[in-house]
């Protein structure tokens, strides 16, 4: 399928160094962005589907880098079915598993841990809830796992490893397993802050600096924050990605974002929700955190969007999160919410409002056009200007 989005008002690229792209048209073909900027009438007419953005803002699909995936579109923690499809209506086109720790009765022995990660990974290989790409299968590091175990599952496609819920006496004991996971080219992640489940101890700046993971999960607390003084140390003394989560401590989220900007470490700031958890299912969580950073921490709205898209993609090595030729065609149209005080999406976000999502395209396919089920309506009407595809009912599974 070839798809064009025309009459775009503003293009946010997802790249924090150059957050805006010029032009008014995006063309995608077979799931990949072909061009961003301008296109001739002939090129647009050759597309199967044309979406009229009517002056609204186009951003890359949001990447939530901390989602408690289990199996299927179901969260046991909140006993909710269909939550991932609901997140698509909040502009999220990619979810990255924070480990399958919520699977009821999850195994803790090496064979079980490996099987869980491999099964989760493979279950989402071709399964897209609501059109979302789900990167599942994050191995939970527990005593007894060895470097060879990690090598075995890396061969099965597992590329995420999570420290923080293992039965170790001290968090420092994760160090050899994190190093082994790194040696197998996995992205390593460490729970940060106070214990989120009984029995798991607090993980603070000293631990992060000793363990050196790729990502500090919910550095602002999940939900309980580490000491304020540790933020500057982690930023200055490491290159660890600073993941700010909606379901964390808001004050330290703002503290960390402000420091990251001041200390020239903004590229390491990434946004996620850390849901579903005890805090619930939050389909608009990414949009809330973007609005919090823009309205309370003085971060430009387009930069907050980059932290939720291109910066996540860079840290997790994904071919999405950017509106540029060759990238995955995960595209979201947003606008000022109807009835608000602001004239466009970025002004609304700066004002602290939740942007209205008017269309979501993932893997090059429109998932809905016109109105999200979960956000307010857009001020301007986004519509399908042309669709020459015959109906195709082959997508079900
Ligand atoms: Zn979590």
């Amino acid at each position: 399928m070839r798809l064009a989005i025309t009459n775009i008002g503003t293009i946010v690229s997802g790249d924090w160094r150059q957050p805006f792209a010029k032009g008014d048209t995006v063309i995608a073909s077979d799931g990949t962005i072909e061009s961003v900027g301008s296109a001739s009438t002939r090129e647009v007419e050759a597309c199967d589907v044309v979406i009229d953005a009517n002056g609204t803002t186009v951003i890359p699909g949001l990447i939530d880098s901390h989602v408690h995936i289990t199996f299927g579109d179901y969260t046991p923690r909140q006993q909710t079915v269909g939550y991932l499809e609901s997140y698509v209506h909040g502009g999220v086109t990619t979810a990255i598993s924070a480990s399958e720790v919520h699977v009821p009765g999850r195994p803790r022995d090496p064979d079980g841990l490996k099987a869980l990660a491999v099964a989760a990974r493979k279950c989402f290989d071709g399964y897209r809830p609501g059109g979302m790409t789900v990167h599942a299968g994050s191995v939970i590091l527990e005593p007894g796992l060895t470097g060879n175990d990690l090598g075995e599952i890396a061969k099965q496609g597992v590329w995420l490893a999570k420290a923080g819920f293992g039965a170790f006496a001290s968090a420092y004991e994760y160090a050899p397993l994190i190093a082994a996971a790194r040696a197998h080219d996995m992205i390593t992640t460490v729970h940060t802050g106070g214990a989120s489940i009984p029995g798991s101890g607090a993980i603070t700046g000293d631990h992060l600096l000793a363990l050196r993971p790729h990502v500090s999960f919910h550095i602002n607390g999940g939900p309980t924050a580490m000491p304020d003084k540790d933020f500057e140390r982690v930023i200055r003394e490491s290159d660890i990605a600073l993941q700010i989560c909606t379901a964390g401590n808001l004050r330290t989220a703002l503290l960390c974002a402000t420091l990251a900007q001041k200390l020239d470490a903004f590229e390491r700031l990434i946004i996620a929700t850390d849901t579903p958890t005890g805090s619930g299912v939050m389909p608009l969580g990414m949009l809330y955190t973007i609005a919090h950073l823009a309205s309370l921490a003085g971060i430009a709205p387009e930069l907050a969007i980059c932290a939720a898209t291109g910066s996540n993609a860079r840290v997790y090595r994904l071919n999405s999160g950017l509106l540029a030729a060759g990238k995955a065609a995960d595209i979201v149209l947003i606008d000022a919410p109807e009835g608000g005080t602001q004239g466009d999406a970025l002004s609304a976000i700066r004002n602290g409002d939740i942007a209205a999502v008017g269309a979501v395209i993932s893997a090059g396919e429109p998932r809905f056009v016109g109105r999200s089920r979960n956000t307010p309506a857009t001020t301007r009407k986004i519509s399908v200007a042309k669709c020459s595809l015959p109906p195709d009912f082959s997508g079900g599974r």
Side-chain angles (χ1 to χ4, degrees):
M1 186 205 310
R2 265 172 80 84
L3 170 126
I5 305 167
T6 59
N7 297 321
I8 298 168
T10 304
I11 301 175
V12 177
S13 69
D15 177 358
W16 71 280
R17 284 187 184 82
Q18 215 173 349
F20 294 112
K22 287 200 180 76
D24 60 4
T25 305
V26 174
I27 292 183
S29 176
D30 294 331
T32 303
I33 295 174
E34 224 168 64
S35 66
V36 174
S38 54
S40 67
T41 313
R42 211 162 44 100
E43 281 175 288
V44 171
E45 278 171 359
C47 289
D48 306 302
V49 176
V50 179
I51 295 171
D52 182 351
N54 193 20
T56 56
T57 299
V58 170
I59 67 173
L62 302 174
I63 299 172
D64 186 343
S65 56
H66 196 127
V67 181
H68 282 282
I69 302 296
T70 56
F71 288 95
D73 194 354
Y74 171 61
T75 163
R77 184 59 60 91
Q78 293 304 332
Q79 303 186 4
T80 302
V81 172
Y83 75 101
L84 291 168
E85 188 264 349
S86 204
Y87 282 37
V88 173
H89 281 257
V92 178
T93 54
T94 300
I96 303 174
S97 176
S99 82
E100 287 69 32
V101 74
H102 286 185
V103 170
R106 73 166 178 90
R108 286 155 205 271
D109 63 298
D111 285 340
L113 292 161
K114 288 190 286 180
L116 176 61
V118 172
R121 165 85 181 82
K122 295 192 176 185
C123 279
F124 282 97
D125 257 355
Y127 170 48
R128 291 176 164 273
M132 179 191 279
T133 299
V134 178
H135 296 289
S138 173
V139 62
I140 305 160
L141 301 180
E142 289 269 16
L145 272 178
T146 64
N148 283 344
D149 289 326
L150 297 177
E152 219 177 273
I153 58 174
K155 281 202 196 90
Q156 297 293 321
V158 173
W159 59 277
L160 295 161
K162 155 78 182 266
F165 288 135
F168 289 103
S170 152
Y172 292 111
E173 292 174 29
Y174 285 112
L177 278 178
I178 289 176
R182 271 183 176 274
H184 290 292
D185 217 23
M186 292 181 179
I187 299 286
T188 57
T189 60
V190 172
H191 174 98
T192 308
S196 69
I197 51 170
S200 58
I203 296 180
T204 63
D206 285 335
H207 298 105
L208 291 174
L209 291 172
L211 298 175
R212 301 272 159 178
H214 292 88
V215 183
S216 162
F217 263 179
H218 45 66
I219 192 164
N220 59 315
T224 311
M226 65 178 180
D228 282 8
K229 62 177 171 38
D230 288 9
F231 287 88
E232 184 161 346
R233 283 186 59 214
V234 172
I235 294 172
R236 282 190 189 279
E237 296 171 29
S238 79
D239 60 358
I240 299 170
L242 317 161
Q243 185 192 64
I244 286 184
C245 288
T246 316
N249 178 314
L250 174 59
R251 187 185 61 78
T252 54
L254 303 176
L255 168 81
C256 184
T258 308
L259 275 174
Q261 203 166 44
K262 191 177 107 188
L263 300 175
D264 210 17
F266 189 78
E267 67 175 339
R268 287 159 55 195
L269 192 81
I270 58 177
I271 295 177
T273 62
D274 187 10
T275 59
T277 52
S279 304
V281 169
M282 299 174 76
L284 305 184
M286 295 293 286
L287 294 173
Y288 271 99
T289 295
I290 289 168
H292 292 159
L293 295 188
S295 62
L296 300 173
I299 290 182
E302 61 274 16
L303 290 183
I305 290 166
C306 294
T309 56
S311 299
N312 265 321
R314 183 187 59 78
V315 169
Y316 284 90
R317 307 178 195 142
L318 305 180
N319 187 39
S320 55
L322 296 175
L323 295 184
K327 296 293 177 182
D330 294 343
I331 306 164
V332 172
L333 276 68
I334 58 173
D335 194 19
E338 193 180 44
T341 58
Q342 306 297 311
D344 60 73
L346 298 183
S347 308
I349 292 169
R350 195 181 292 108
N351 189 52
D353 292 328
I354 299 306
V357 175
V360 169
I361 292 112
S362 67
E365 288 187 32
R367 307 299 170 173
F368 64 87
V369 176
R371 167 126 203 215
S372 152
R373 195 171 72 227
N374 289 329
T375 69
T378 53
T379 301
R380 303 167 185 80
K381 191 167 163 35
I382 296 164
S383 59
V384 177
K386 172 193 167 183
C387 180
S388 61
L389 293 176
D392 177 352
F393 303 106
S394 66
R397 121 187 343 260

Coordinates of all heavy atoms in Angstrom, one line a residue, residues 203-205 225-231 252 255:
I203 N 17.1 0.6 44.7 CA 18.3 0.7 43.8 C 18.5 2.2 43.6 O 17.6 2.9 43.1 CB 18.1 -0.1 42.5 CG1 17.9 -1.6 42.8 CG2 19.2 0.2 41.5 CD1 17.7 -2.5 41.7
T204 N 19.8 2.6 43.9 CA 20.1 4.1 43.9 C 21.2 4.4 42.9 O 21.7 3.5 42.2 CB 20.4 4.6 45.3 OG1 21.5 3.9 45.7 CG2 19.2 4.3 46.3
G205 N 21.7 5.6 43.0 CA 22.8 6.0 42.1 C 24.0 5.1 42.2 O 24.7 4.8 41.2
A225 N 11.1 7.4 44.4 CA 12.3 7.9 43.8 C 13.5 7.6 44.6 O 13.4 7.5 45.9 CB 12.1 9.4 43.6
M226 N 14.7 7.6 44.0 CA 16.0 7.6 44.7 C 16.3 9.0 45.2 O 15.6 9.9 44.8 CB 17.1 7.0 43.7 CG 17.4 7.9 42.6 SD 18.7 7.2 41.6 CE 18.9 8.4 40.3
P227 N 17.4 9.1 46.0 CA 17.7 10.5 46.5 C 18.0 11.5 45.4 O 18.6 11.1 44.4 CB 19.0 10.2 47.3 CG 19.0 8.7 47.7 CD 18.3 8.1 46.5
D228 N 17.5 12.7 45.6 CA 17.7 13.8 44.6 C 19.2 13.9 44.2 O 19.4 14.1 43.0 CB 17.3 15.1 45.2 CG 15.8 15.3 45.3 OD1 15.1 14.3 45.0 OD2 15.3 16.4 45.6
K229 N 20.1 13.8 45.1 CA 21.5 14.1 44.8 C 22.1 13.0 43.8 O 23.1 13.3 43.1 CB 22.4 14.1 46.1 CG 22.4 12.7 46.8 CD 23.4 12.8 48.0 CE 23.3 11.6 49.0 NZ 23.1 10.3 48.4
D230 N 21.4 11.9 43.7 CA 21.9 10.8 42.8 C 21.7 11.1 41.3 O 22.4 10.6 40.4 CB 21.3 9.5 43.1 CG 21.8 8.9 44.4 OD1 22.5 9.6 45.1 OD2 21.5 7.7 44.7
F231 N 20.7 12.0 41.0 CA 20.4 12.3 39.6 C 21.6 12.9 38.8 O 22.0 12.4 37.8 CB 19.2 13.1 39.5 CG 17.9 12.4 39.8 CD1 17.5 12.3 41.1 CD2 17.2 11.8 38.8 CE1 16.3 11.6 41.4 CE2 16.1 11.0 39.1 CZ 15.6 11.0 40.4
T252 N 10.5 14.3 40.7 CA 11.9 13.9 40.3 C 11.9 13.7 38.7 O 13.0 13.8 38.2 CB 12.4 12.7 41.0 OG1 11.4 11.7 40.9 CG2 12.6 13.0 42.5
L255 N 12.8 17.2 37.8 CA 14.2 17.4 38.2 C 15.2 16.8 37.2 O 16.1 17.4 36.8 CB 14.4 16.8 39.6 CG 15.8 16.7 40.2 CD1 16.3 18.1 40.7 CD2 15.9 15.6 41.3

